[in-house]
Amino acid sequence: MIGGVREYFDKDYRKLKYILDTIEKIYASYGYRPLETSVFEDLNVLLKKGGEEIREQIFRFDRIGLRFDHTVPLIRFAEEHKELPRPIKRYSIGKVYRNEDPQRMRYIEFIQADIDVVGSSSIYSTLEILEIAELVLSSLGLSAQIEVNDRRFLDSVVADLDDDQKSFLFRTVDKIGRFGERWVREQIERKGIGMKYLDILLRSDLETVKDYSKEAYNTLIRIGRKFNPTLVRGLDYYTGEIFEISIAGINVSVGGGGRYSMFSEKHNVGISLGVSRLYDLIDYKDQINSVFIAWIDEFEYADSIAKELRKRGLAVEINTEDRSLRKQLEYASKYYGKCIIVGRKEKEEQSVVIRDLKKGEQNTISLKELLENYSKYFD
């Protein structure tokens, strides 16, 4: 398998599905509607809205490219569907792609779970999506730490820089959490940009924000989360409040977002959670009730038991291969804690053998007892 991608099998997939189901259930409970878009987008659209750093990471094939987030496809969809009433509240959960060097918790193919409000300038939309993000993380057993800033404040600080200098400065400062202040200063010095902008940001508090932008100050006060003056967000389409979500006590970002303008849709706000990172962080207990049925000469009897147990909600795999009982048990021990064994004697007595594959112990019970009290034996 190539680096930077992941595959999920059996228990790993169930863990992933648990995360996805938890997120989708919460998103939908707030009235957000699902949107599934193609992973392919017009390359010109992606290049226009990606920003310099993201543009270098786009997988491209002639006139098309792989989506690098869910935001660009959303706004493209909204523009193509002017008949939809605003605001559009939508969620999208799926794979996105960025052509960068794979690292720990950084992939070239990864899953994001986005929630956005298109066509809303209301602070209540911002507060709602932050509440939703916190609820998702708490439901997964994680404690969210949200830091905020505002691009109106940042733009005011660097108002005398040209667009290229401003874009470079923002992209560089955005990496201060990963590479440190010394590295950021070195990059800024090489570019020939004065240190005063970084120094202003490093010593800023909310009162500083008020001096530069009262709108930004009022918004940040309403949001009421931890202010981080060096939080920038690398994408060029942000216009107002921005936020970064990490896990309390762990210096790992699991999401972010903010208010943005794109194409003709000028008033939007959204947040994206990194499902692939959440997968690495949560504790998960596999709760599926499952059992394997091994048989000798009596497939029909074994199959009838499997059908009855499935009706009762158990996941049941029955041997379908021509192999000895020993081989069946060797196979079952790789995936199951217990198995059922039946043969001619068990069919005649209408009984089953239940074997604990970890302890190597087994006992015989009646078929009637199994079907009436199956949860007692397979919890």
Side-chain angles (χ1 to χ4, degrees), residues 348-362:
E348 291 174 354
E349 296 177 351
Q350 288 294 286
S351 64
V352 299
V353 174
I354 297 180
R355 182 175 179 84
D356 189 314
L357 295 168
K358 295 180 179 178
K359 297 179 180 179
E361 301 172 352
Q362 65 184 47

Side-chain angles (χ1 to χ4, degrees), residues 21-34 87-91 114-117 124-139 225 271:
D21 289 348
T22 299
I23 294 173
E24 183 163 20
K25 181 179 179 181
I26 292 173
Y27 282 1
S29 74
Y30 279 75
Y32 287 73
R33 295 172 174 82
I88 300 173
K89 291 187 170 185
R90 87 84 178 85
Y91 67 86
D114 285 26
I115 190 166
D116 288 76
V117 185
Y124 296 112
S125 294
T126 299
L127 295 175
E128 182 175 78
I129 64 172
L130 290 175
E131 176 184 304
I132 292 170
E134 289 173 323
L135 179 57
V136 166
L137 294 182
S138 65
S139 298
R225 303 310 201 278
I271 204 163

Side-chain angles (χ1 to χ4, degrees), residues 298 301 342-352 367:
E298 295 294 343
Y301 181 54
V342 296
R344 189 170 302 168
K345 178 183 177 183
E346 286 73 31
K347 180 182 179 182
E348 291 174 354
E349 296 177 351
Q350 288 294 286
S351 64
V352 299
L367 177 59

Side-chain angles (χ1 to χ4, degrees), residues 82-112:
K82 298 290 188 182
E83 77 281 2
L84 293 176
R86 269 54 172 174
I88 300 173
K89 291 187 170 185
R90 87 84 178 85
Y91 67 86
S92 290
I93 303 173
K95 293 180 178 180
V96 297
Y97 303 85
R98 296 189 186 181
N99 188 8
E100 56 183 341
D101 293 333
Q103 302 173 33
R104 181 177 178 271
M105 290 192 176
R106 297 183 74 87
Y107 307 95
I108 62 174
E109 177 189 71
F110 50 100
I111 302 171
Q112 287 186 336

Side-chain angles (χ1 to χ4, degrees), residues 291-292 309 329 337-342 346 351-357 360-367 369-371 373-374 376-378:
V291 64
F292 181 83
L309 290 176
L329 296 182
K338 294 180 179 180
C339 78
I340 293 172
I341 305 171
V342 296
E346 286 73 31
S351 64
V352 299
V353 174
I354 297 180
R355 182 175 179 84
D356 189 314
L357 295 168
E361 301 172 352
Q362 65 184 47
N363 65 303
T364 301
I365 63 172
S366 69
L367 177 59
E369 165 67 12
L370 172 67
L371 297 181
N373 299 294
Y374 60 92
K376 173 182 173 182
Y377 299 97
F378 308 107

Side-chain angles (χ1 to χ4, degrees), residues 65-264:
L66 293 180
R67 65 188 182 196
F68 57 80
D69 68 7
H70 292 300
T71 308
V72 175
L74 164 65
I75 301 303
R76 187 264 308 152
F77 174 85
E79 288 206 322
E80 292 173 353
H81 294 274
K82 298 290 188 182
E83 77 281 2
L84 293 176
R86 269 54 172 174
I88 300 173
K89 291 187 170 185
R90 87 84 178 85
Y91 67 86
S92 290
I93 303 173
K95 293 180 178 180
V96 297
Y97 303 85
R98 296 189 186 181
N99 188 8
E100 56 183 341
D101 293 333
Q103 302 173 33
R104 181 177 178 271
M105 290 192 176
R106 297 183 74 87
Y107 307 95
I108 62 174
E109 177 189 71
F110 50 100
I111 302 171
Q112 287 186 336
D114 285 26
I115 190 166
D116 288 76
V117 185
V118 176
S120 171
S121 58
S122 170
I123 186 65
Y124 296 112
S125 294
T126 299
L127 295 175
E128 182 175 78
I129 64 172
L130 290 175
E131 176 184 304
I132 292 170
E134 289 173 323
L135 179 57
V136 166
L137 294 182
S138 65
S139 298
L140 294 173
L142 301 172
S143 178
Q145 177 176 293
I146 298 179
E147 296 183 337
V148 297
N149 201 349
D150 198 294
R151 287 296 282 261
R152 290 167 293 190
F153 160 63
L154 295 168
D155 287 339
S156 295
V157 170
V158 299
D160 57 341
L161 293 179
D162 62 39
D163 289 343
D164 288 341
Q165 290 175 318
K166 181 168 65 174
S167 180
F168 175 84
L169 181 66
F170 283 170
R171 292 198 313 272
T172 305
V173 172
D174 194 47
K175 297 182 176 68
I176 197 168
R178 291 168 56 192
F179 300 115
E181 181 182 337
R182 180 178 178 180
W183 180 88
V184 170
R185 288 188 180 277
E186 290 174 352
Q187 303 306 308
I188 293 174
E189 185 175 8
R190 289 175 186 171
K191 190 70 173 178
I193 301 174
M195 292 296 171
K196 69 173 184 177
Y197 309 103
L198 178 61
D199 291 336
I200 290 172
L201 294 179
L202 289 174
R203 65 172 182 262
S204 291
D205 55 19
L206 284 174
E207 288 303 313
T208 311
V209 175
K210 189 176 183 179
D211 293 337
Y212 280 91
S213 172
K214 289 184 178 180
E215 285 186 331
Y217 171 80
N218 291 334
T219 297
L220 294 174
I221 290 296
R222 289 291 301 277
I223 292 174
R225 303 310 201 278
K226 181 182 178 182
F227 172 61
N228 179 354
T230 60
L231 173 61
V232 176
R233 302 293 297 166
L235 295 171
D236 291 344
Y237 48 63
Y238 289 112
T239 58
E241 62 267 26
I242 52 177
F243 15 86
E244 189 88 14
I245 305 173
S246 58
I247 305 304
I250 305 176
N251 187 28
V252 176
S253 172
V254 296
R259 184 162 295 281
Y260 60 94
S261 172
M262 191 179 296
F263 306 131
S264 64

